[in-house]
Amino acid sequence: MAETTRAGFVALIGEPNAGKSTLLNRMVGAKVSIVTHKVQTTRARIRGVALEGDSQLVFVDTPGIFKPKRRLDRAMVTAAWGGAADADVVVLLIEAHKGVTEGVENILAALDEYSNPKQKVALAINKIDMVDVEKLLALAKDMNERHHFVETFMISAEKGRGVDDLRKWLAKELPEGPWLYPEDQIADLPMRMIAAEITREKLTLNLHQELPYQLTVETENWEERKDGSARVDQVVYVSRDGHKGIILGKRGETIKRISRASREELSEFLGRKVHLFLQVKVRPNWLEEAERYGEMGLDFKDGN
């Protein structure tokens, strides 16, 4: 390792579905945060670790910032702003084709309140392939008139355009100091939580409408086997009996499909065989249970 190293935290903030998880995964080069077509899928502050030259970038992928309605919503938004306040550098991600929405205006108004005055805040305009250059330039000008951003980047997190430039800039902006994690570590979440997130992603992709927001997944047991494989037991908690039936599906076909997809991705992630066993349990009040929030990496008190 070089004599002068840098390390620090980078918070990615923005509205739900702005592309924060996709950008995090692109930066890290591995899937450490779930990416779905549904909004508000990231519940905990997931840290992904990336290396750029002599710098170690620790990304905090915060939940999307939106107007909270439920206890879980409030806890997620508090976690998002907490991630921003603790970071060395903040990157606000907005969608090029949506421009300055009401949600973006609310985030800009709150930035001064929540961010540290010493922090550097950069703007990343995402999904640039969806609009023409003139609109992009106009949006960048508008945003910089509303808030002082130290840098503005035009990116496509999904296709990787502009991401290298953003990562190199971030690497230079971090404070000097020793690396915070081992060189080969890409996330600081416990493997049990990553496994639960993978299964929750498969549930989100396979279920429709509001149901994904009414469930949570917990890894109850993780057993290392002598042959190098792992046995993983997970529980899907839902609020109603009807939800349980939907997840199980006709003759159990839906839960089998979800389990197979989750097992395959988890095996690929770990580079070894995984035996995954899923159960679905009804807990009517899980959204009001402190233990469930702890498993998601959220603070129950933040939902008050």
Side-chain angles (χ1 to χ4, degrees), residues 153-167:
F153 295 89
M154 311 283 191
I155 68 169
S156 169
E158 186 177 1
K159 297 178 180 177
R161 291 173 60 189
V163 174
D164 287 346
D165 290 338
L166 174 57
R167 186 170 54 230

Side-chain angles (χ1 to χ4, degrees), residues 123-167:
L123 172 67
I125 301 176
N126 191 24
K127 306 179 184 179
I128 56 173
D129 49 319
M130 300 183 74
V131 299
D132 58 38
V133 175
E134 287 77 14
K135 286 186 178 179
L136 271 178
L137 294 175
L139 176 58
K141 183 174 183 291
D142 185 11
M143 285 293 292
N144 278 275
E145 287 174 351
R146 293 167 183 264
H147 186 86
H148 174 64
F149 295 102
V150 293
E151 289 287 344
T152 298
F153 295 89
M154 311 283 191
I155 68 169
S156 169
E158 186 177 1
K159 297 178 180 177
R161 291 173 60 189
V163 174
D164 287 346
D165 290 338
L166 174 57
R167 186 170 54 230

Side-chain angles (χ1 to χ4, degrees), residues 1 4-10 49-59 86-89 170-182:
M1 197 178 296
T4 303
T5 57
R6 294 177 181 273
F9 293 91
V10 178
V49 184
L51 301 180
E52 179 63 42
D54 300 325
S55 298
Q56 186 179 68
L57 297 79
V58 184
F59 288 96
D86 296 339
D88 297 291
V89 184
L170 289 168
K172 290 188 295 184
E173 298 303 317
L174 295 179
E176 291 186 6
W179 286 0
L180 303 170
Y181 294 95

Side-chain angles (χ1 to χ4, degrees), residues 9-287:
F9 293 91
V10 178
L12 306 176
I13 66 169
E15 289 188 282
N17 223 21
K20 299 179 297 296
S21 296
T22 303
L23 179 59
L24 170 64
N25 292 338
R26 174 72 66 174
M27 288 280 193
V28 175
K31 191 169 185 178
V32 294
S33 188
I34 70 171
V35 181
T36 74
H37 60 286
K38 303 259 197 325
V39 299
Q40 300 169 25
T41 47
T42 302
R43 287 178 177 169
R45 281 178 283 174
I46 298 177
R47 293 192 177 105
V49 184
L51 301 180
E52 179 63 42
D54 300 325
S55 298
Q56 186 179 68
L57 297 79
V58 184
F59 288 96
V60 185
D61 175 45
T62 60
I65 296 170
F66 55 98
K67 188 171 283 187
K69 296 177 182 176
R70 304 170 299 170
R71 176 189 282 273
L72 178 60
D73 297 340
R74 292 191 290 273
M76 287 166 63
V77 171
T78 300
W81 283 118
D86 296 339
D88 297 291
V89 184
V90 175
V91 179
L92 170 60
L93 212 62
I94 68 170
E95 296 176 89
H97 61 296
K98 290 187 177 178
V100 185
T101 62
E102 182 184 352
V104 169
E105 288 182 335
N106 292 337
I107 293 171
L108 289 172
L111 259 177
D112 293 330
E113 178 183 349
Y114 287 98
S115 61
N116 185 326
K118 296 179 181 178
Q119 282 176 331
K120 293 183 177 178
V121 181
L123 172 67
I125 301 176
N126 191 24
K127 306 179 184 179
I128 56 173
D129 49 319
M130 300 183 74
V131 299
D132 58 38
V133 175
E134 287 77 14
K135 286 186 178 179
L136 271 178
L137 294 175
L139 176 58
K141 183 174 183 291
D142 185 11
M143 285 293 292
N144 278 275
E145 287 174 351
R146 293 167 183 264
H147 186 86
H148 174 64
F149 295 102
V150 293
E151 289 287 344
T152 298
F153 295 89
M154 311 283 191
I155 68 169
S156 169
E158 186 177 1
K159 297 178 180 177
R161 291 173 60 189
V163 174
D164 287 346
D165 290 338
L166 174 57
R167 186 170 54 230
K168 287 174 183 175
W169 178 80
L170 289 168
K172 290 188 295 184
E173 298 303 317
L174 295 179
E176 291 186 6
W179 286 0
L180 303 170
Y181 294 95
E183 187 173 350
D184 59 350
Q185 187 167 337
I186 63 168
D188 80 342
L189 271 184
M191 200 58 236
R192 293 166 70 104
M193 194 180 286
I194 291 176
E197 282 290 281
I198 288 173
T199 298
R200 193 164 68 86
E201 177 190 43
K202 303 312 172 193
L203 285 158
T204 304
L205 289 170
N206 281 275
L207 302 171
H208 302 291
Q209 298 163 344
E210 287 297 308
L211 184 53
Y213 311 123
Q214 304 294 325
L215 60 81
T216 190
V217 181
E218 292 180 16
T219 303
E220 264 198 341
N221 184 56
W222 187 294
E223 178 190 337
E224 297 289 346
R225 294 189 163 180
K226 291 180 180 179
D227 63 0
S229 66
R231 176 189 169 119
V232 180
D233 295 275
Q234 294 181 333
V235 177
V236 181
Y237 288 111
V238 294
S239 304
R240 303 176 192 165
D241 285 316
H243 293 169
K244 180 176 181 179
I246 293 170
I247 293 173
L248 292 175
K250 191 175 181 180
R251 299 192 186 93
E253 290 173 1
T254 304
I255 192 70
K256 286 177 185 175
R257 183 170 66 251
I258 291 166
S259 180
R260 181 168 60 250
S262 182
R263 183 181 68 247
E264 289 172 355
E265 181 161 322
L266 192 52
S267 296
E268 184 180 349
F269 189 88
L270 293 172
R272 57 198 175 104
K273 191 172 184 178
V274 172
H275 308 277
L276 179 64
F277 298 89
L278 292 183
Q279 289 185 69
V280 184
K281 294 183 179 180
V282 178
R283 289 183 76 99
N285 297 313
W286 77 260
L287 278 162

